[in-house]
Amino acid sequence: MNRILIVEDEVRIASFIEKGLRAEGYTPTVVADGMSGLDYAVSGEFDLAIIDIGLPRMDGFTVLQKMREMGSAIPVIVLTARDSVADTVRGLEGGADDYMPKPFRFAELIARVRLRLRPRSGADEEQTLLTRGNIALNLLRREVTVADRPVELSAREFALAEMFLRHPGQVLSREQLLSHVWGYEFDPGSNVVDVYVGYLRKKLGGKLIKTVRGTGYRLDS
C-alpha cells in the first residue's frame, strides 16, 4: 500500500485529496506547512509527495529544492495556480515530476499519481482494461465498448464510468462522484450526477447502474 504525503495548507483541498486517495487504497498523510512537509518528505517513509506551491513557513519551491539537495528522489506532483505558467515551469525545472493546475478534478490527479507510482512500485504495468459484464473501458486509449461495439463517451462520462467500474458492488454517494469527476469546487446541491448517470445508462445499458435511495448509486457486481 503506497504512502502519499500531501503538503497543502488549504483545509478543504487537503481533505478532498486525502479522502479521495484513501478511497483508492492509498495511505495519505497531510501536513499544512512547508517546513513540516520537508521533514516528512525526506523521512524515507513516503512513495510520493503532492506539494502546493503557496505554503506557510517555507514555499513549495524551496521544499522541492531542499528535498532534491538532501537526496530525496520520491516523485513529486506540485499544485499550481491555473494561470501561473511561471510557477509550473519553475516547479518542473526544480525537480518536480508533474504538476496539477488548480482547480482540478480528482480523476485527473489520481491518473497522475498512478503514473508516477508505477515505476517505483515494481508491479506489472497498471491494468489498462476495466470490464464488467459486456462493458470494457480501455484506460490508455480512452475507448469504451459495449458488447464489442464502440461507444462514444465525453470526458466526464468516461471518468464517471471508470469510477463505477473500479468500485463494482460499492454504493457511491453523490458527493463522492461529484468530487471525483467534477472536483472540489462542485456545488453539493447540484443534480449533475443524476443527469450524467442518466447519460451512462442510455449508452452502457439501463440495468447496470442501480439507484440506492437516499444514498447514491451502485454498479452491479
Side-chain angles (χ1 to χ4, degrees), residues 174 194 197 201 209-218:
R174 286 175 175 82
D194 308 281
V197 167
R201 283 171 169 163
I209 302 173
K210 304 296 185 184
T211 301
V212 181
R213 288 188 179 181
T215 305
Y217 295 97
R218 183 189 69 243

Side-chain angles (χ1 to χ4, degrees), residues 61-81:
F61 295 126
T62 306
V63 173
L64 180 58
Q65 177 187 348
K66 289 185 178 295
M67 282 176 61
R68 297 316 189 206
E69 288 175 352
M70 297 170 71
S72 174
I74 66 171
V76 173
I77 300 173
V78 294
L79 304 181
T80 70

